[in-house]
Each structure stands twice: as structure tokens, then as C-alpha cells.
Amino acid sequence: MKSPFYTAEHDAFREMMRRFVEKEIAPFAHEWDESGEFPRPLYRKAAEIGLLGLGFPEEYGGIAADQFMKIVASQELARAGAGGISASLMSHTIGSPPIARAARPEVRARVLPQVLAGDKISALAITEPGGGSDVANLSTRARRDADHYVVSGEKTFITSGMRADYLTVAVRTGGEGAGGVSLLLIEGDTPGLSRTKLKKMGWWASDTATLHFDECRVPAGNLIGEEGQGFKIIMQNFNSERMGMAASCTAFARVCLDEAVAYARERQTFGKPLAQHQVIRHKIVDMAQKVAASQSMLEMLAWRLEEGESPVAEICMMKNQATQTMAFCASEAVQIFGGAGFMRGIKAERIYREVKVNAIGGGTEEIMKDLASRQMGL
């Protein structure tokens, strides 16, 4: 669809991203999903085209990028129809912004160039076995001991948790509530850190883990921001994460639409192409309508962010709009494929398995509604 928000620069980046996905990801997506991981060299290949550096400071190897460049990146990655690959390949987009924003200069200079070059992997560790989005009540403890923090506790459902070299971890350094939360950078080879791989409904190619911290000694200089300021930094991270998820989900919905249309045109039933049956045409129109509405809402929100606004309520609603559109289109696409849609190997089947992780991750649908209502003064 044509849009007034994209320039020639955006279009050129889109073409480069499309070639990258078609060459380096799409041919292997099914194989990598079945094997439960993708090759680590993919990070370096992504770095070479500037994908990993989007939006990060240029002094550390980053590339200036507006909201629309980020949408292009997310949506072109989605064309492979493999959310697990996108999630882990881009886990630094939630793990590293707190480092870029609030870590000490020497930490930024040491960590960010390695991550943005694809040599090291960054992940964010917030969720705990006893609670997900209730960040203010996390229980992983970090007590100060001279020039170190000693960390004990667990994090779970951590994307890139098995392979991450750098973990941005939410810990409790103070009393109860949001004011007692801080952020620490914990390196992957820290003694006392162990990891357990998790098996999932979808996102098979993304390594997901539970992290166990057993009296891990972390240099005090690895504190991100000030003590007790971690909650604020985490909240700042959420707008970007939710916009990225919304962009991806809208694109995954479009992938389902495109695959269903192609199949409906060639599949013969009752003596004519499936697409010539009115009920199928109506399904396709319903899918196209929802995708177009979601994309339009996404781009208007991106424009508002570029204008300096912080429309938290609308971003929460956008995430729900996009995940609901993805769920609808994935379901309808599998239905149009019929029995073939139940077989592994097509994009729609893979995306169908990935619907729920998007509706849960980054804040559940219910939490998004509650947060939006509060922002609206209700």
C-alpha cells in the first residue's frame, strides 16, 4: 500500500531488507524452526546491512533511524513468516536500549559495539516465575557488597536467554514497589548463572530460557542508571517494544493474507479455483480490511512519536489491534488452506502457532486494556 510517510531512503532500505530476508532467512526458516535454533553467524550478516544498528548511537556503530525505518525492518523480517527468528535476532532491541540510554560511558563503549556488530548477543530479563508484567513487585534480589552486587533469583521466558552474552536484568536493590527496582548488566559467563532451555508452542527457532542467579557477583559499575531508577527505564523501553511488536504482527497478518490469496487462486475445488467461491472471497476481504486498518493506525502512531508525542494509551491499543489482526488472519488463512494448513511447513501454520506469544509478550491484552484505560483517566 502506498503511504505518504515513506521516503526514497525508506524504500531503498526496504529493498535491501527484502533481498536479505529472501537470501539469508526465508529459504531456511522451516529448517531452523524444526531444529529449534538458527546459526549464530546470522547476527553478523544482519549487522553488515545495518539492521542491528538501527536507532542506536552512531559512535557505537549504530545508524540514525526514524520510526518508519524501524517499521520497515520489522515488517520485512516478518515476510519470512518465522517469528522466532525475528525475536531472537532482534532481542538486542529490548536488551540494549537501557544500556545505550543509561549505562556508564565505559560500559556503553565496551558492550554496544560488540552487540551492534553481531559479535555478541543482548537480551532483556524482566519476567519472573512468580510474575510477568507486574514489574514493580519483582523479587530477584541484588544486595550491595563493597564494589559488587550479589544477585539471587530467577527470570523466565527470556528471549535469547540461552545464548545471550549480555543480560539486562531487573533486580530489587531496595524496598517494596517500583522505587526498589534497579537494572544491572550481567554478563553471560558470570559464575553462579545457569540457564534452562524452555520448549514452546511457537517461536521454536528462538531460544527461550529460565535464568537462575545463585549469588552472582556483578561489578557495581554495571548498574544501569541509578539505584531505584530501574522501573522508569523499563517503562521507557515498553513503548518501543510494543510498537515493534505491532509492526511485526501486522506484517505477519499480511503474510497470512498473501499466502491465502495465492493458494486460493490455484487450488481447485468443485470445478473452479477456491477464490471463486463467495465465502472464500469474503474471508479474504475481511483479512485485507483488518490488515489495512492496523497498518494505518500503526503509521499514524509512528508519525505522532516522530512529532514528540508519547501516546501511551494508543500504543497499548495498537498492540492489541495488531495481535488481534494477526490472530484473525492466521486462523482464516489456515481455514482457507484446509487440511494443508494443518501441516507443518507453510508460513500460515507457523504464524498460527505464534499468535499467543504476541498477545502475551510485552504486556498481555488485558494489561494493555487496563493501562490504556488508566491513561484515558478512567
Side-chain angles (χ1 to χ4, degrees):
M1 298 183 294
K2 287 191 174 183
S3 169
F5 297 112
Y6 300 98
T7 66
E9 186 179 2
H10 295 115
D11 292 340
F13 181 65
R14 186 188 303 278
E15 288 301 314
M16 182 174 64
M17 278 294 305
R18 190 162 297 185
R19 290 194 300 270
F20 173 76
V21 171
E22 289 175 350
K23 178 183 177 183
E24 303 291 352
I25 299 179
F28 316 106
H30 176 65
E31 174 190 341
W32 292 344
D33 209 46
E34 294 290 328
S35 67
E37 63 180 10
F38 58 87
R40 188 159 176 144
L42 185 64
Y43 289 92
R44 289 197 183 94
K45 292 179 180 180
E48 289 171 1
I49 65 165
L51 175 59
L52 300 191
L54 284 181
F56 285 92
E58 294 182 40
E59 62 188 296
Y60 303 117
I63 299 172
D66 63 8
Q67 292 291 326
F68 297 99
M69 200 70 83
K70 294 175 183 178
I71 288 174
V72 169
S74 295
Q75 298 201 322
E76 288 303 315
L77 280 173
R79 289 175 65 84
I85 298 172
S86 300
S88 273
L89 182 63
M90 304 301 286
S91 65
H92 74 292
T93 61
I94 57 174
S96 289
I99 301 171
R101 186 180 301 121
R104 285 159 173 71
E106 61 272 19
V107 173
R108 294 200 299 267
R110 175 168 56 88
V111 172
L112 291 177
Q114 297 180 80
V115 172
L116 302 184
D119 295 326
K120 300 289 185 181
I121 298 171
S122 169
L124 180 69
I126 304 293
T127 301
E128 298 183 347
S133 299
D134 190 6
V135 178
N137 288 313
L138 61 85
S139 61
T140 296
R141 175 67 63 178
R143 74 175 191 274
R144 186 68 181 260
D145 181 19
D147 59 352
H148 283 75
Y149 287 95
V150 181
V151 180
S152 294
E154 285 189 327
K155 300 292 180 179
T156 196
F157 311 142
I158 306 307
T159 300
S160 292
M162 292 302 297
R163 297 200 288 189
D165 303 288
Y166 296 113
L167 297 158
T168 300
V169 184
V171 296
R172 184 162 300 285
T173 53
E176 295 182 359
V181 176
S182 300
L183 279 177
L184 279 178
L185 177 68
I186 301 181
E187 303 198 22
D189 58 358
T190 300
L193 168 62
S194 58
R195 321 183 196 209
T196 302
K197 187 176 179 65
L198 301 176
K199 292 186 176 181
K200 312 177 294 297
M201 178 192 296
W203 274 13
W204 295 350
S206 169
D207 75 84
T208 308
T210 295
L211 309 177
H212 313 269
F213 301 97
D214 183 11
E215 297 286 288
C216 295
R217 295 186 65 82
V218 180
N222 281 21
L223 181 69
I224 299 174
E226 302 299 323
E227 270 199 18
Q229 296 300 307
F231 185 83
K232 183 187 298 184
I233 299 171
I234 293 166
M235 292 303 106
Q236 290 173 340
N237 221 33
F238 273 138
N239 274 354
S240 176
E241 179 181 3
R242 290 165 184 162
M243 283 293 290
M245 292 182 72
S248 294
C249 290
T250 302
F252 283 127
R254 182 182 288 117
V255 169
C256 291
L257 168 62
D258 291 345
E259 196 173 43
V261 167
Y263 182 78
R265 283 173 171 162
E266 65 182 38
R267 168 70 168 158
Q268 296 284 324
T269 60
F270 302 99
K272 59 183 178 181
L274 194 60
Q276 290 186 15
H277 294 279
Q278 185 183 56
V279 67
I280 300 300
R281 294 201 303 271
H282 288 190
K283 283 181 179 292
I284 289 170
V285 169
D286 285 341
M287 293 165 72
Q289 175 182 315
K290 291 180 184 296
V291 170
S294 296
Q295 185 71 21
S296 295
M297 184 177 180
L298 175 70
E299 291 177 356
M300 279 304 301
L301 277 176
W303 177 78
R304 290 178 64 185
L305 286 168
E306 286 295 312
E307 291 294 300
E309 295 184 41
S310 182
V312 175
E314 290 86 349
I315 289 173
C316 291
M317 289 187 278
M318 177 71 254
K319 180 180 180 287
N320 282 356
Q321 168 72 18
T323 56
Q324 290 165 9
T325 297
M326 177 184 177
F328 179 85
C329 291
S331 179
E332 292 293 76
V334 169
Q335 193 71 19
I336 289 170
F337 270 86
F342 195 64
M343 300 295 106
R344 298 223 294 255
I346 67 168
K347 293 178 182 178
E349 181 272 334
R350 217 163 38 233
I351 293 170
Y352 187 80
R353 284 190 276 107
E354 298 174 352
V355 164
K356 276 300 176 185
V357 69
N358 290 283
I360 294 169
T364 65
E365 185 172 305
E366 295 78 11
I367 288 173
M368 292 298 94
K369 290 179 181 178
D370 192 57
L371 181 55
S373 68
R374 290 172 185 271
Q375 291 288 319
M376 294 165 65
L378 301 177

